[in-house]
Amino acid sequence: MSAIALRSVCVTLGGKEIVDDVGLEVGDGEWVTLIGPNGAGKSTLLRAIAGLVPYEHLHRRGVARRLAFVPQSPLLPPDMQVRDYVLLGRTPYVGPFGSESRRDVAAARRALERLELGPFAERRLHTLSGGEQQRVVLARALAQEAPLLLLDEPTTALDIGRQQQALELVAELREQGPLTVLSAMHELTLALQYADRLALLSGGRLVAEGAPAEIATESLLAEHYGADVQVIENGAGPVAVVPRRKRS
């Protein structure tokens, strides 16, 4: 069964077509990663699924309460405490005139602990580094405990250790319960390590999708990224993508 079913999705912003006739299905419990060069439409497609930009022909299966979205460049209230910001992830479960329950507070605390943010709980958001802020945004999404997680460049501001920590946490959550993940990543090596399938966007269109071994080929990446790369493989398939240095 599909958690997300996209049929001929189009997004036009400022008179320019950013996403053009994209069709894609993401199965329940699957991790699909959108890859592609800058301007390919990856972030715009995620924002359309999240309902943040106008779109055509996008059918979402009741995801308003089931979806947690981690944007690439979130707007953070500078004077809000980390604890309160993460607690905002529980907003879909709080009535119009209600307040957070013990369950909501516990969910926020678990998210903070999972990302080792407990010591930051009373810090103001503006006092955090870029990487710390990124982890807080991820913690807010995890606190929502939604079965569908959209991640837009979730490791952008993180060092390699925090990148691994964040993605391993998402992988662990998938093992613990039904969690579907649709992410956009520039880091192709990370995408290879964690995604079940890759969907390659170029010029706003979906040009290829499939298992990492089918999509992460040197010829396909050269065609759409304009880069000379080497795909490193082991017995299980591709594990890393590295640029070839041009030497005179």
Side-chain angles (χ1 to χ4, degrees):
M1 183 174 179
S2 298
I4 300 174
L6 310 182
R7 300 283 186 270
S8 300
V9 175
C10 299
V11 179
T12 301
L13 300 174
K16 180 180 180 181
E17 196 162 46
I18 308 299
V19 176
D20 181 15
D21 195 32
V22 170
L24 179 68
E25 290 199 13
V26 181
D28 282 336
E30 193 175 22
W31 187 335
V32 175
T33 293
L34 306 174
I35 64 170
N38 290 340
K42 304 183 297 296
S43 295
T44 300
L45 182 59
L46 285 182
R47 288 171 59 82
I49 296 170
L52 300 178
V53 295
Y55 53 82
E56 296 178 12
H57 308 302
L58 175 55
H59 304 285
R60 301 185 299 151
R61 300 189 174 189
V63 298
R65 283 189 58 174
R66 298 178 59 248
L67 180 152
F69 177 50
V70 178
Q72 183 175 355
S73 302
L75 295 175
L76 301 176
D79 291 323
M80 180 175 282
Q81 287 189 336
V82 168
R83 177 192 293 112
D84 294 334
Y85 180 80
V86 173
L87 195 55
L88 289 177
R90 303 299 298 176
T91 300
Y93 303 97
V94 180
F97 303 103
S99 59
E100 296 84 1
S101 66
R102 291 181 179 179
R103 179 179 177 181
D104 296 325
V105 173
R109 185 184 302 114
R110 285 194 300 272
L112 286 168
E113 291 172 352
R114 282 172 168 169
L115 284 166
E116 298 182 0
L117 290 168
F120 297 82
E122 297 183 2
R123 291 267 300 272
R124 305 287 178 181
L125 291 172
H126 73 87
T127 68
L128 305 180
S129 69
E132 290 164 350
Q133 290 178 348
Q134 187 75 1
R135 288 160 60 204
V136 169
V137 174
L138 180 57
R140 171 179 167 168
L142 296 182
Q144 189 173 331
E145 296 181 334
L148 175 57
L149 184 60
L150 303 183
L151 302 173
D152 188 6
E153 303 293 349
T155 60
T156 296
L158 304 182
D159 61 47
I160 189 169
R162 296 301 187 187
Q163 288 178 350
Q164 185 178 37
Q165 178 194 41
L167 295 179
E168 285 293 335
L169 175 58
V170 174
E172 178 184 328
L173 291 174
R174 289 181 68 215
E175 294 177 358
Q176 293 175 356
L179 177 66
T180 302
V181 181
L182 178 60
S183 60
M185 289 189 187
H186 279 301
E187 293 285 349
L188 296 178
T189 295
L190 290 176
L192 291 174
Q193 296 293 327
Y194 291 95
D196 300 318
R197 281 193 300 133
L198 301 178
L200 174 59
L201 295 177
S202 183
R205 299 183 66 88
L206 179 64
V207 296
E209 64 169 305
E214 298 171 349
I215 305 305
T217 66
E218 294 177 3
S219 60
L220 200 55
L221 297 179
E223 178 182 355
H224 294 285
Y225 282 85
D228 183 11
V229 300
Q230 178 182 5
V231 177
I232 300 174
E233 301 189 16
N234 62 14
V239 294
V241 177
V242 296
R244 284 193 178 94
R245 184 177 177 186
K246 298 185 185 299
R247 300 179 183 274
S248 57

